[in-house]
């Protein structure tokens, strides 16, 4: 018996509700990552956010070109993610020295929020396309629609550069 009294209404309603809840769970993860990045940007300054974005790009290149990847256990995603995070940390330390030469300016809340959002999107796109995160966490269909296709990966790679162009000054 359908709770709404009309046969066939409850099933699509339940499917739509499950869809929204699944997207909400992944969106919460996006908000947490964006919030952590924004907190770092406000605490250390927006010039460190620029260094983080550059370090993420360098981490992708270094991880993909890593010649000893065959020595890593293929079934252990934590080690592969740890290698990528290591590359990002080393790159961040290298690029942090360059932040001394960047022009210091007052950072607006809106600019920092947008840069944090596109950086969080870049991190999610990297986790879906480059890292084996999907063996540890199953993303919902709406999240995969935003990040999984090669075209969307390209746009998430471009988004921080566009954000830096418009809000990085």
């Amino acid at each position: 018996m359908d709770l709404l009294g009309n046969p066939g209404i409850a099933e699509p309603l339940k499917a739509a509700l499950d869809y929204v809840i699944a997207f909400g769970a992944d969106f919460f993860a996006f908000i947490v990552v964006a919030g952590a990045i924004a907190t770092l940007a406000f605490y250390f300054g927006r010039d460190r956010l620029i260094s983080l974005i550059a370090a993420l790009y360098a981490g992708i290149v270094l991880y993909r070109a890593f010649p000893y990847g065959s020595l890593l256990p293929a079934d252990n995603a934590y080690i592969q993610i740890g290698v990528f995070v290591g590359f990002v940390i080393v790159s961040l330390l290298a690029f942090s020295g360059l932040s001394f030469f960047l022009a210091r300016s007052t950072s607006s809340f809106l600019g920092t929020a947008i840069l944090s959002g596109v950086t969080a999107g870049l991190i999610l796109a990297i986790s879906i396309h480059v890292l084996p995160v999907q063996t540890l966490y199953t993303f919902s269909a709406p999240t995969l629609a935003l990040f999984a296709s090669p075209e969307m990966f390209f746009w998430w790679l471009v988004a921080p550069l566009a954000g830096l162009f418009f809000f990085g000054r």
Side-chain angles (χ1 to χ4, degrees), residues 39-50 104 107 112:
T39 302
L40 290 173
F42 282 121
Y43 186 74
F44 291 113
R46 195 167 60 178
D47 54 338
R48 301 294 179 174
L49 181 59
I50 296 169
R104 304 245 186 242
S107 61
T112 302

Side-chain angles (χ1 to χ4, degrees), residues 39-132:
T39 302
L40 290 173
F42 282 121
Y43 186 74
F44 291 113
R46 195 167 60 178
D47 54 338
R48 301 294 179 174
L49 181 59
I50 296 169
S51 299
L52 174 64
I53 293 170
L56 287 170
Y57 286 117
I60 294 171
V61 173
L62 292 172
Y63 181 77
R64 291 271 174 114
F66 186 54
Y68 305 108
S70 61
L71 299 176
L72 298 175
D75 60 343
N76 194 339
Y78 292 110
I79 292 176
Q80 294 176 357
I81 293 169
V83 168
F84 177 77
V85 170
F87 285 141
V88 169
I89 289 172
V90 168
S91 299
L92 182 62
L93 292 174
F95 289 131
S96 289
L98 296 176
S99 68
F100 176 75
F101 297 105
L102 296 173
R104 304 245 186 242
S105 64
T106 58
S107 61
S108 68
F109 178 77
L110 178 65
T112 302
I114 289 173
L115 283 174
S116 299
V118 295
T119 305
L122 176 64
I123 290 171
L124 285 175
I126 291 169
S127 67
I128 290 173
H129 284 276
V130 178
L131 301 174

